[in-house]
Amino acid sequence: MSVATPHSLDEALSALAGQPDAQVLAGGTDFMVEVNYGHRRPTAVIALTKVSALRSWKVDGTHLVLGAGVTYTDMINPEIAVPFPALAAAARTVGSPQIRNAGTIGGNVGTGSPAGDTLPVLAALDASIELRNTAGTMRVVPWTEFFLGVKRTDRQPNEIITAVHLPLFESKQDYLKVGTRNAMVISVAGLALVVDFDGGNVRCGLGSVGPVPLRARQAEAWVASNIDWEHRRVPDPRTYETFGAMVADASQPIDDHRSTAEYRRHAVGVMAQRALMRMI
Ligand SMILES: Cc1cc2nc3c(=O)[nH]c(=O)nc-3n(C[C@H](O)[C@H](O)[C@H](O)COP(=O)(O)OP(=O)(O)OC[C@H]3O[C@@H](n4cnc5c(N)ncnc54)[C@H](O)[C@@H]3O)c2cc1C
């Protein structure tokens, strides 16, 4: 097996052009588990760990552009955590310090697991995924078009995920997660809530309750029409419970080894209600 360790994105893309079957490795926290279980047998690997450009982030007009190599530990940095508290909250729930130091946003997006903790946050923020191919062409894909099914994404074999674009706006945000214990746990259900005071809307991203991250769009529209945006309050306290029930209805959970569909539906409803009560 050959392993390339490029130092720049151009080098990484040329390595991929030279070996189209090569598989991209970031922190390895999903990749190596699959290798260890024999589910993945790479003949060539392109390791991105030394591509420092992917590890940075910058404000670009109305967006924060987060390099694909940004780790969960980086996401807790105030430069990211202050504008995007839901992303930082999701990052804090991931694995252990070792996993948070190695695991990246590009890897979470690249795996495209329904249980990926950043995915509901990206859905609620209406994020886009930036990719570059071996011909040097860049494309930016809205999250709605990127996640196609369980661990299936729109990334083409000749592409590297280079960044995630997060729109900047004034909001309150949170990420809540239910698992079978408090740490080192893959989510049974996850929920990201964003209350956008600029736009007068509420956005609710759901994880682990469908094949791809979901948005509870009907619940969002209904609750937005029941908020007094001028005074930033919810006039009728029954709104919270109805919102929770509507979010639960928007989920599409299944029974599996981690939980039942029934419990997952209940959990997202409770999380939606709680998150909204904490914010407004
Ligand atoms: C003990 C343990 C606990 C965990 N806990 C959690 C948890 O709580 N929440 C959670 O969401 N996940 C968890 N995970 C899963 C994993 O840590 C995350 O999904 C992580 O974000 C993967 O990132 P990585 O950099 O390690 O990706 P890698 O494992 O290197 O790669 C993952 C996939 O993405 C592809 N890829 C990576 N980067 C790119 C790129 N730039 N361009 C194209 N393709 C790319 C790879 O080819 C591979 O298919 C856990 C894993 C372990 C081992």
Side-chain angles (χ1 to χ4, degrees):
M1 185 182 69
S2 71
V3 179
T5 51
H7 285 75
S8 70
L9 185 58
D10 285 346
E11 278 177 34
L13 287 165
S14 328
L16 189 55
Q19 286 190 297
D21 291 339
Q23 297 186 20
V24 175
L25 177 90
T29 59
D30 278 328
F31 191 112
M32 291 312 297
V33 172
E34 290 171 18
V35 169
N36 290 344
Y37 278 106
H39 299 150
R40 189 193 274 263
R41 292 254 171 268
T43 51
V45 171
I46 298 170
L48 299 178
T49 11
K50 292 191 164 46
V51 182
S52 52
L54 292 179
R55 184 77 196 268
S56 62
W57 57 89
K58 63 166 195 259
V59 173
D60 184 5
T62 55
H63 286 72
L64 183 74
V65 179
L66 210 56
V70 165
T71 65
Y72 295 104
T73 302
D74 295 331
M75 290 175 228
I76 299 165
N77 182 307
E79 287 180 24
I80 298 172
V82 170
F84 297 107
L87 190 64
R92 281 190 202 96
T93 74
V94 171
S96 60
Q98 295 90 333
I99 298 296
R100 292 194 288 275
N101 286 338
T104 63
I105 191 150
N108 210 223
V109 164
T111 295
S113 161
D117 279 306
T118 67
L119 275 42
V121 180
L122 302 190
L125 291 171
D126 274 327
S128 300
I129 318 300
E130 180 192 292
L131 304 112
R132 260 169 230 262
N133 71 15
T134 47
T137 309
M138 181 183 102
R139 66 186 181 117
V140 179
V141 184
W143 74 271
T144 44
E145 292 164 29
F146 186 79
F147 299 107
L148 302 179
V150 175
K151 296 193 176 178
R152 276 198 311 117
T153 73
D154 185 43
R155 182 183 90 87
Q156 302 304 306
N158 70 339
E159 287 179 317
I160 288 180
I161 301 164
T162 44
V164 171
H165 292 207
L166 303 172
L168 288 156
F169 53 91
E170 196 214 333
S171 62
K172 281 197 181 170
Q173 309 176 4
D174 206 353
Y175 177 72
L176 277 65
K177 169 174 173 178
V178 169
T180 48
R181 52 182 184 248
N182 274 341
M184 286 288 279
V185 69
I186 300 295
S187 120
V188 158
L191 177 138
L193 193 71
V194 173
V195 178
D196 171 3
F197 291 106
D198 282 348
N201 61 62
V202 174
R203 314 210 215 134
C204 183
L206 307 178
S208 290
V209 289
V212 291
L214 301 175
R215 281 276 295 275
R217 298 208 188 258
Q218 266 189 308
E220 295 173 1
W222 178 83
V223 79
S225 67
N226 283 278
I227 290 173
D228 172 356
W229 290 100
E230 192 188 340
H231 302 100
R232 297 192 173 191
R233 58 183 285 272
V234 172
D236 183 347
R238 289 171 299 181
T239 302
Y240 299 107
E241 196 181 335
T242 308
F243 176 61
M246 290 179 82
V247 170
D249 281 348
S251 65
Q252 302 167 17
I254 55 164
D255 292 332
D256 68 9
H257 59 290
R258 286 203 190 97
S259 189
T260 62
E262 190 187 356
Y263 179 72
R264 288 185 156 117
R265 191 174 291 111
H266 172 73
V268 288
V270 171
M271 287 192 290
Q273 188 175 341
R274 272 191 204 156
L276 189 67
M277 285 175 103
R278 285 180 192 171
M279 284 183 204
I280 187 162

